[in-house]
Amino acid sequence: MKTQRLGFASHDGVSRIHALLWQPDKPTAVPRGIVQIVHGMAEHIDRYEPFARFLVSQGFVVCANDHVGHGKSVQDESDLGHLPLDGGADVLIEDVHELRSLAASRFASTVPYVVFGHSMGSFVTRSYLTRHAEGLAAAVLCGTGQQPRLLSRAGNVLSRAIAASKGERHRSAFVDSLGAGAFSKAIADARTEVDWISTDPAVVDEYIADPACGQMFTVGGYATLTSLTLEATDSARAGLVPHDLPLLFIAGAEDPVGDCGKGVERAVEQYRAAGVESVDLKLYEGMRHEILNEPDKECVYADVEQWLASKGI
């Protein structure tokens, strides 16, 4: 596999976005398809290399970018976990579209294009599908949920109120306890505060040791995150997703982000009710949030590839 670094100006008007393109050592003009990965909260795209390597072995080209406030798209470590208070959701969505345009331009227009969004990236992707779905062949939503809209709205108002008094870069332990910090409480006898991401202690320890993972979001970041969850869970906006676009929802059955499967099922029903004709769901027993990093991850990899094949991709 060959890895190529890409870069482009973020739609925040400040950041330089770091992106990667993974492809075979001897790339062809017409790969089986292009899969764009949209990563989650407080992590970065290097963590997806094993999944990208698998997809490349199956004939795909893979691309991904570090979001604003994440990975190598920050100018300083203090920027990790910070997203713009105003318009942050739009920045993430349009940066995804920028990479799509950049990646797609390198290959024949007939090559199928797939977006794969994990966790926060799944909410970015769900919002993206209401704005830029034209021309996509399919979308995979991994580790998503269907957060109560009242809770998202309250979190958004609270984040903005704190930002008004303490600035959008302020990090509030209270706001975090209502967001990502709440997930640790879902795991009985947890060894660490992030055991909810995986049943594999090695994955958890690696995440904790990674200086580009686990940063508490600023209130600007939480304002962006709650804006995304509000848009993604809006049934009216779900109706804007093309009815013929195949969707696959995958999640761990023990993932607190998806309410241990119940939230994922509610999300699936939202799109089915909105008229999307092909909405498939796969819950993995015994797995938590990062199903791509569980001991049986190869099973997940294979299921994604087989689903894409079943859709003619």
Side-chain angles (χ1 to χ4, degrees), residues 3 52 64 67 74 82 105 126 141 144 153 157 164 174 177-179 197 243 253 263 270 297 312-313:
T3 304
H67 298 306
V74 301
H82 176 62
S105 69
R126 288 166 66 180
L141 294 312
T144 199
R153 191 170 287 111
V157 170
F174 177 65
S177 73
L178 301 175
I197 70 170
H243 291 184
Q270 171 182 280
K297 57 184 176 292
I313 300 170

Side-chain angles (χ1 to χ4, degrees), residues 32-77:
R32 175 178 169 183
I34 304 170
V35 178
Q36 180 172 345
I37 298 172
V38 187
H39 76 75
M41 175 182 184
E43 60 157 348
H44 54 89
I45 59 176
D46 289 333
R47 302 182 74 232
Y48 292 81
E49 182 177 346
F51 182 48
R53 186 175 296 279
F54 168 80
L55 291 173
V56 168
S57 75
Q58 300 300 308
F60 292 97
V61 166
V62 183
C63 64
N65 68 275
D66 284 332
H67 298 306
V68 166
H70 291 77
K72 295 174 183 173
S73 291
V74 301
Q75 296 180 357
D76 186 85
E77 286 187 10

Side-chain angles (χ1 to χ4, degrees), residues 5 7 12 20 42 54 59 73 82 110 153 170 183 194 201 210 226 230 240 263 269 286:
R5 179 171 179 169
D12 72 352
L20 294 174
F54 168 80
S73 291
H82 176 62
T110 55
R153 191 170 287 111
H170 178 73
F183 298 136
V194 291
D210 191 331
T226 50
L230 278 169
L240 299 176
E269 289 306 315

Side-chain angles (χ1 to χ4, degrees), residues 104-135:
S105 69
R106 293 168 173 255
F107 302 95
S109 60
T110 55
V111 174
Y113 206 101
V114 178
V115 179
F116 180 107
H118 170 68
S119 192
M120 183 182 78
S122 75
F123 294 108
V124 174
T125 300
R126 288 166 66 180
S127 297
Y128 180 86
L129 297 180
T130 69
R131 307 185 192 190
H132 300 298
E134 183 178 358

Side-chain angles (χ1 to χ4, degrees), residues 48 99 152 253 256 284:
Y48 292 81
L99 177 58
S152 292
Y284 293 88

